[in-house]
Amino acid sequence: MWIDLKNHATRIADRRIEDLFANDSRAQTYSTTALGMLFDYSKTQIDAEVMDTLIALAKASEVEARRDAMFRGDKINETEGRAVLHTALRNLDGGAIEVEGADVMPEVLGTLDRMEALAEEIRAGDITDVVNIGIGGSDLGPVMGVLALAPYHDGPRCHFVSNVDGADIADTLRGCDPEKTMFIVASKTFTTIETMTNARTAKAWLADKGVSEEGRFVALSSNVDGAGAFGIPAERVFGFEDWVGGRYSMWGPIGLSMMIAIGGAAFRAFLRGGQAMDRHFQAAELHENLPVLLALVGIWHNQGMGYASRAVLPYDNRLMRLPAYLQQLEMESNGKGVAMDGSDLAVQSGPIVWGEPGTNGQHAFYQLIHQGTAVVPCEFLVAAQGHEEDLKHHHQLLVANCFAQSEALMRGRTLDEARAKVAGKFEGDELERQARHRVFPGNRPSTTLIYDQLDPETLGKIIALYEHRVFVEGVILGINSYDQWGVELGKELATALGPVVSGDASAADKDGSTQQLVSFFLRHNA
Ligand code: F6P
């Protein structure tokens, strides 16, 4: 079936997307409305035959059976022997979910209640600044969510320290009052070097300011013993099980900073949104199923058309960290060259994901998207309503820009149109030369997800939508989306290089380039 996708790509090679709209029901045929959102993928080359192949691929990969196995708690993370049940964290009013014969829901809901009690206590107290120390999945979700839901903030300020670069924590703490600052150490394993280093620096900062650390630290971790050894008592540890992957963890304890910022009720609304998307994913037919459709469009562009990357372009400034969040979610999940069964992947691994909010990106990299030689499928996100009642004209401009970009990408500008633009300013060969620079090839695909307003529930729907999209793409590619062995080697080598860059060990066994870098560093690091 992969070959069929390639054959479709050849078949449509000379076709223009805009011509497909001669069939005036195309927009309705290649779009789906669900859960108050419209997903429009009509500005792509997908037609009935491409869709048939994509659906056949999904069926042949047993997407539905794999999905049911995931929700049931089967150990679908086969390389780590774990269930994949982040969906249990938002199963607010669902039934029992069993892992190895035991219902996990009482513990999940009990932890949520404990989190809420602490969050409300902090929100009602004297703490003015909360610093979440974590990295990867223990940072990207909460930081993205806290920024996204700024209009709902009515708690203390939330900061995020992730990088082991001391600049990160130093810049953050500079603005904090030690008497009124608390730290959340967010680490599933409680061993991650960046997080532990920053956590120790936070401890030292309090000590240096003469402030007791008692009651100032909370741990979000599966490693209760590790948190205890660090000095955080069990009652201030919020645990989660190994069936919650780091990059899928913002729905549980890792979301505590978000809960502190927006309150328990709004956080539960976020969970409800995620749960609504779960139910849609489980129940909707494949051709009307939002996560499945996003995945199929992705597979078509990446595998069929051979486009190496995709841009995520939220026309919603508060989603400024969504591209970074999705980079981890998609690339750590599906950036793998080995299939579930250990064989080499027969197809490309998942695409490079990148992006920035519009309209800012328009004034930066859209040049390449419009006129560069590489085609980048674009995924636009936009809200029908902003939150700024008195700034409706801003929102209208924002939306006009979003819609204009997908139109421009599809239509482009012909040489004749470009000539007409410069006629009168130039003539002869110069007119021709100038006109050619103003041609837009067009025929560039994009999708648009439009939703009512970026409230907590909608954010939950969007994040769960992308999580399930990654899952479906992974199943179709034959990848285990839930391990991340590719991050191990760099960590091991960094550990070995630690004594070398501190001058306590020799670099003699390293390659010439690494030796040269170490030597320059040691000479210049006084
Ligand atoms: O970079 C690898 C990784 O394991 C991510 O998957 C994870 O989100 C991150 O490190 C942080 O891990 P932890 O929460 O255990 O500190």
Side-chain angles (χ1 to χ4, degrees), residues 286-354:
L286 293 183
H287 64 280
E288 294 174 337
N289 193 308
L290 287 174
V292 173
L293 289 171
L294 252 81
L296 296 183
V297 173
I299 294 277
W300 165 240
H301 286 149
N302 190 216
Q303 307 294 336
M305 300 298 286
Y307 303 144
S309 82
R310 64 172 163 242
V312 181
L313 307 168
Y315 277 66
D316 202 325
N317 199 54
R318 295 193 176 104
L319 287 178
M320 66 181 83
R321 294 289 284 168
L322 182 70
Y325 173 80
L326 291 180
Q327 278 178 337
Q328 187 198 21
L329 186 68
E330 304 210 15
M331 293 163 75
E332 197 167 84
S333 297
N334 289 342
K336 293 160 191 171
V338 173
M340 186 74 96
D341 63 5
S343 61
D344 286 345
L345 206 65
V347 293
Q348 299 241 31
S349 56
I352 298 158
V353 178
W354 58 286

Side-chain angles (χ1 to χ4, degrees), residues 57-310:
L57 255 176
K59 290 204 164 134
S61 322
E62 302 189 339
V63 163
E64 288 154 301
R66 298 289 296 174
R67 172 196 66 196
D68 296 345
M70 174 173 75
F71 279 95
R72 202 167 49 226
D74 290 7
K75 293 189 175 175
I76 63 162
N77 175 356
E78 293 176 19
T79 54
E80 296 182 311
R82 293 175 182 170
V84 174
L85 275 177
H86 48 279
T87 50
L89 301 176
R90 53 200 189 222
N91 182 35
L92 289 186
D93 48 10
I97 297 180
E98 292 194 353
V99 174
E100 284 166 359
D103 181 10
V104 301
M105 286 317 298
E107 171 127 24
V108 165
L109 297 175
T111 302
L112 183 62
D113 288 344
R114 280 181 61 225
M115 281 169 64
E116 190 164 7
L118 180 75
E120 296 305 342
E121 184 189 312
I122 293 168
R123 285 159 56 77
D126 295 336
I127 293 292
T128 54
D129 294 89
V130 173
V131 181
N132 185 87
I133 298 176
I135 196 164
S138 299
D139 167 72
L140 289 163
V143 74
M144 179 273 297
V146 164
L147 287 166
L149 298 178
Y152 302 87
H153 288 199
D154 52 4
R157 285 182 291 269
C158 287
H159 310 272
F160 294 86
V161 169
S162 53
N163 202 322
V164 75
D165 184 342
D168 199 0
I169 192 159
D171 289 352
T172 303
L173 295 184
R174 197 167 297 126
C176 295
D177 175 353
E179 301 281 353
K180 296 183 176 170
T181 299
M182 67 162 285
F183 296 94
I184 298 174
V185 186
S187 176
K188 182 177 166 185
T189 55
F190 225 78
T191 58
T192 304
I193 192 78
E194 292 94 330
T195 301
M196 299 325 298
T197 304
N198 279 318
R200 282 192 289 271
T201 299
K203 251 189 183 199
W205 179 74
L206 283 181
D208 188 48
K209 305 285 179 192
V211 175
S212 162
E213 65 180 66
E214 207 187 318
R216 295 312 183 83
F217 281 88
V218 171
L220 315 176
S221 185
S222 310
N223 180 358
V224 180
D225 292 345
F230 181 80
I232 304 178
E235 66 272 15
R236 290 181 75 82
V237 180
F238 295 83
F240 51 106
E241 300 295 328
D242 68 2
W243 35 260
V244 179
R247 54 192 174 274
Y248 297 86
S249 63
M250 67 181 294
W251 311 94
I254 294 294
L256 181 65
S257 51
M258 235 173 114
M259 200 192 232
I260 292 171
I262 63 174
F267 188 78
R268 284 176 191 267
F270 166 70
L271 299 185
R272 264 201 314 279
Q275 187 184 27
M277 186 55 72
D278 293 343
R279 288 186 170 151
H280 166 80
F281 179 45
Q282 287 176 284
E285 296 294 331
L286 293 183
H287 64 280
E288 294 174 337
N289 193 308
L290 287 174
V292 173
L293 289 171
L294 252 81
L296 296 183
V297 173
I299 294 277
W300 165 240
H301 286 149
N302 190 216
Q303 307 294 336
M305 300 298 286
Y307 303 144
S309 82
R310 64 172 163 242

